[in-house]
Amino acid sequence: MKKALGVLLLVVIVFTSMCISGNQSTTSIPPSSSTATETFTLDKAKFHFYMYGLATCPHCKKMKEEIPKFFGKEALTYYELQGNDYNGKMFEQLYQILGVTGVPVTGIFYDGKLYAIVNGEFPVEYADDLVEEAKNVKGVLFIADKTYLIPENKTEIINKLEYIFTNGEPSEV
């Protein structure tokens, strides 16, 4: 029940903090607490985050700071959209599959496998909860204005999403 409330809280935070085209409002996320760090259950070294974003987006900037702080510098691969046609085309594919229009869009991988996609800013200390929940429901979680599930038997879609997240042109973090 506690994890379900945590995931619900995460959905609300993500929804209220997305940097959507034409909407430049900012919402801060709660600061990391020591209890979140102490209850982190998975191996942090097995996490990797792939993020599409814009240099001008405050939410992207925040995520580019928070992910390396919590997981280490090597845990984040960032793909800048502004001025990069290739990354723009990859992001267009995310739009076609998921309907995302705002940034950041982050693929959360654990041990080389995609478990969650978050459109917007999120508390990184809950990444383990997202992975655990995705394992429990047997699929990939997509969190935007609502939480969606891409069932694990939709291998063609999941493989395409994994390709999009792992094959952009990396930019400086």
Side-chain angles (χ1 to χ4, degrees), residues 106-134:
T106 308
I108 302 172
F109 285 68
Y110 184 75
D111 205 17
K113 181 179 177 191
L114 178 64
Y115 282 97
I117 300 166
V118 180
N119 187 197
E121 197 175 309
F122 67 97
V124 297
E125 62 269 18
Y126 291 116
D128 67 331
D129 291 333
L130 295 176
V131 170
E132 292 288 358
E133 185 62 23

Side-chain angles (χ1 to χ4, degrees), residues 23 44 55 66 83 89 91 104 107-108 118 132 138 141 153 156 168:
N23 179 1
K44 285 185 181 181
E66 293 299 316
K89 288 176 185 173
F91 188 80
I108 302 172
V118 180
E132 292 288 358
K138 297 181 178 11
L141 297 177
N153 66 352
E156 186 177 333

Side-chain angles (χ1 to χ4, degrees), residues 57 76 80 100:
C57 171
L76 174 63
E80 177 61 40
V100 296

Side-chain angles (χ1 to χ4, degrees), residues 3-159:
K3 283 197 180 217
L5 288 174
V7 171
L8 180 60
L9 175 64
L10 177 62
V11 170
V12 171
I13 290 169
V14 169
F15 177 67
T16 60
S17 66
M18 287 190 302
C19 186
I20 303 209
S21 305
N23 179 1
Q24 295 299 321
S25 66
T26 59
T27 304
S28 61
I29 61 173
S32 301
S33 68
S34 60
T35 56
T37 304
E38 292 166 6
T39 60
F40 201 88
T41 57
L42 299 174
D43 182 356
K44 285 185 181 181
K46 292 184 178 183
F47 276 87
H48 197 88
F49 300 82
Y50 296 89
M51 184 175 93
Y52 284 89
L54 291 167
T56 57
C57 171
H59 306 290
C60 299
K61 181 180 179 190
K62 177 78 169 179
M63 295 310 300
K64 285 171 30 181
E65 293 170 358
E66 293 299 316
I67 292 169
K69 259 194 239 177
F70 198 82
F71 290 93
K73 186 180 178 197
E74 298 302 314
L76 174 63
T77 300
Y78 174 72
Y79 305 127
E80 177 61 40
L81 292 171
Q82 188 172 348
N84 188 310
D85 291 339
Y86 180 79
N87 287 344
K89 288 176 185 173
M90 297 296 269
F91 188 80
E92 174 68 23
Q93 292 178 54
L94 285 176
Y95 168 75
Q96 290 172 357
I97 297 169
L98 302 172
V100 296
T101 58
V103 292
V105 178
T106 308
I108 302 172
F109 285 68
Y110 184 75
D111 205 17
K113 181 179 177 191
L114 178 64
Y115 282 97
I117 300 166
V118 180
N119 187 197
E121 197 175 309
F122 67 97
V124 297
E125 62 269 18
Y126 291 116
D128 67 331
D129 291 333
L130 295 176
V131 170
E132 292 288 358
E133 185 62 23
K135 287 179 178 182
N136 289 340
V137 296
K138 297 181 178 11
V140 174
L141 297 177
F142 170 49
I143 302 169
D145 58 334
K146 297 178 184 175
T147 301
Y148 304 91
L149 175 68
I150 303 166
E152 65 183 6
N153 66 352
K154 299 289 186 182
T155 55
E156 186 177 333
I157 292 171
I158 293 171
N159 289 342

